[in-house]
Amino acid sequence: MMEMKEKRLLQVYAFFKGDSKPSFLLQKAASSLSGEGLDLSLALEGKIDEKTVKRAEKGAILAFFDTPEKAGRFAFSAGRAGGKGLSLYGGTPFGISLAEANVLSFFQKEEFHSALIYTADWAFPIISDRDLEKRGAPFLLSLYRGLMLYAAGKEGTLLGAMDRGRKFTESF
């Protein structure tokens, strides 16, 4: 239990535009985790640079990218620089897909691994990418929270992080 109370640093980077629905949902997910022992910073629309990766030596990074190449290159270089965390490409304006495969890259201490993941494996409904805007908000919030919890080391497995991410109540 002592580990859960420890404050964890997490930098979240996303390609989302500052005034977009994906940005709003990501910020809402981040603010809902305020009591979870996370010191969280968000960078939207910005470039993730070497300084960001250097600061991650004391914490972790969760980064959403708009191309699989950017996500992979970032994970590779961040891991080589000593950073740890996750980068994700989902092929949607929300950074993750509930219908198609997502490319998730894990990096830490010069290690780098990528995997194709389907959110249905974590018991999320399959919602077509074009319907995410209308129907996806509650599920995207849970996914964002789960990814943040896992990237920060607050949960040992992605499934556990997703289950915990679902347990927050929403008000729209």
Side-chain angles (χ1 to χ4, degrees):
M1 272 318 229
M2 201 56 133
E3 183 187 8
M4 296 305 261
K5 296 199 185 285
E6 180 184 322
K7 198 80 154 158
R8 299 280 175 100
L9 300 171
L10 178 65
Q11 297 173 75
V12 179
Y13 165 84
F15 65 90
F16 311 150
K17 300 245 182 282
D19 60 351
S20 66
K21 186 164 184 181
S23 172
F24 170 77
L25 291 173
L26 187 65
Q27 290 175 57
K28 184 173 175 139
S31 67
S32 71
L33 293 175
S34 63
E36 298 297 309
L38 287 177
D39 183 4
L40 211 141
S41 69
L42 285 175
L44 300 170
E45 291 186 85
K47 289 220 179 241
I48 201 161
D49 58 18
E50 215 169 287
K51 281 188 248 175
T52 305
V53 174
K54 283 286 184 208
R55 283 194 310 266
E57 289 176 2
K58 295 178 182 142
I61 295 176
L62 170 61
F64 295 88
F65 288 95
D66 55 354
T67 71
E69 295 81 13
K70 287 180 189 174
R73 277 195 309 267
F74 171 74
F76 179 74
S77 60
R80 289 194 61 167
K84 75 173 198 172
L86 305 172
S87 71
L88 182 70
Y89 167 73
T92 74
F94 292 89
I96 193 163
S97 173
L98 279 115
E100 304 297 327
N102 297 277
V103 179
L104 185 63
S105 297
F106 306 80
F107 55 90
Q108 76 172 25
K109 295 183 183 159
E110 300 189 27
E111 286 188 40
F112 162 77
H113 306 282
S114 289
L116 288 179
I117 57 149
Y118 291 87
T119 58
D121 293 339
W122 302 320
F124 284 95
I126 296 171
I127 297 174
S128 77
D129 292 341
R130 69 179 172 276
D131 288 339
L132 279 179
E133 181 83 32
K134 286 183 276 193
R135 300 178 39 222
F139 309 110
L140 291 162
L141 281 166
S142 295
L143 285 161
Y144 291 156
R145 281 192 297 259
L147 288 165
M148 289 177 199
L149 290 166
Y150 183 75
K154 289 291 193 172
E155 284 292 330
T157 66
L158 273 167
L159 181 59
M162 293 304 161
D163 287 344
R164 191 164 157 203
R166 273 191 262 274
K167 292 182 177 154
F168 293 79
T169 56
E170 304 307 340
S171 59
F172 283 99

